[in-house]
């Protein structure tokens, strides 16, 4: 598993989501330009990660998706294929991400409706979806997360990774302690 880029915490629901560097890289590569179209993909966690709930994969935008400057429709066929592929690898769907033309993203009523429809379509895979919106700012507040619970949603609080997580997510460091004959 890759390094942890940061974590999101939801103190109200006592939950935390670790974000892998691989996922952060996907988002950085696909930020929306000023007059560009929205883009997005699905989010998968590794439920067996020894470090907690780890956001392991963010799928990239797909040519079959439909989009405009302020809207996005993920292709249903690609979504189903990505879910099946991820499940075969032991990963589980937790939501989807998309870009916004804003510097600091704000969840809109259209986003709430879109995430709700997505969750309803994949209700068996996705009981409490996570919504990520990637804004144009490269600062931590430029990417935000929400957890949907029933008809309400809660915004996450960004937190940096712990020092041990920056060092490789459980990577064993080999040290020499003198003589090899211990």
């Amino acid at each position: 598993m890759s390094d942890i880029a940061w974590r999101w915490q939801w103190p109200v629901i006592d939950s935390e989501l670790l974000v892998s560097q691989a996922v952060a890289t996907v988002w950085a590569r696909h930020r929306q330009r000023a007059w560009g179209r929205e883009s997005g993909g699905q989010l998968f966690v590794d439920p067996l990660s020894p470090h907690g709930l780890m956001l392991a994969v963010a799928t990239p935008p797909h040519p079959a998706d439909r989009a405009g400057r302020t809207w996005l429709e993920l292709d249903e066929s690609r979504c189903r294929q990505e879910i099946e592929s991820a499940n075969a690898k032991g990963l589980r769907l937790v939501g989807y991400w998309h870009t916004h033309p804003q510097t600091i993203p704000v969840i809109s009523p259209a986003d709430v409706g879109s995430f709700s429809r997505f969750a309803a379509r994949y209700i068996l895979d996705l009981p409490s979806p996570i919504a990520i919106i990637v804004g144009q700012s490269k600062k931590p507040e430029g990417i935000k997360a929400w957890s949907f619970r029933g008809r309400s949603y809660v915004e996450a609080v960004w937190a940096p990774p712990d020092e041990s997580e920056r060092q490789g997510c459980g990577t064993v460091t080999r040290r020499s302690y003198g003589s090899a004959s211990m």
Side-chain angles (χ1 to χ4, degrees):
M1 186 55 60
S2 61
D3 289 345
I4 296 170
W6 69 82
R7 63 181 66 235
W8 276 306
Q9 298 167 332
W10 287 272
V12 174
I13 56 175
D14 192 29
S15 187
E16 178 176 79
L17 179 65
L18 304 172
V19 178
S20 70
Q21 189 60 53
V23 167
T25 298
V26 168
W27 293 335
R29 287 184 181 152
H30 297 287
R31 284 186 197 280
Q32 186 173 345
R33 294 198 174 102
W35 293 101
R37 294 182 189 182
E38 286 193 3
S39 62
Q42 298 186 101
L43 301 167
F44 296 91
V45 295
D46 177 358
L48 301 178
S49 171
H51 306 286
L53 191 58
M54 170 73 75
L55 193 52
V57 173
T59 62
H62 192 276
D65 296 338
R66 296 180 25 162
R69 183 172 182 271
T70 60
W71 62 276
L72 171 68
E73 291 177 17
L74 298 179
D75 179 71
E76 195 170 332
S77 175
R78 82 94 156 198
C79 288
R80 182 51 52 200
Q81 289 172 348
E82 289 173 352
I83 291 168
E84 290 171 5
S85 175
N87 286 350
K89 297 173 187 169
L91 303 175
R92 296 295 173 252
L93 178 71
V94 292
Y96 81 94
W97 69 275
H98 75 278
T99 61
H100 264 202
Q102 303 160 308
T103 303
I104 308 299
V106 175
I107 196 163
S108 69
D111 292 324
V112 172
S114 177
F115 283 116
S116 297
R117 285 188 302 278
F118 183 83
R121 185 179 305 137
Y122 301 107
I123 192 72
L124 297 176
D125 302 299
L126 193 60
S128 298
I130 293 174
I132 308 292
I133 301 178
V134 179
Q136 294 175 339
S137 174
K138 294 179 182 175
K139 295 180 179 177
E141 61 270 14
I143 302 177
K144 293 200 175 182
W146 291 266
S147 176
F148 279 71
R149 304 285 172 163
R151 295 190 177 271
S152 65
Y153 54 92
V154 180
E155 186 173 341
V157 177
W158 184 91
D162 292 339
E163 189 60 37
S164 64
E165 294 167 339
R166 284 188 207 149
Q167 312 241 337
C169 238
T171 303
V172 175
T173 304
R174 299 194 185 272
R175 294 187 179 122
S176 173
Y177 291 103
S179 169
S181 59
M182 290 173 84

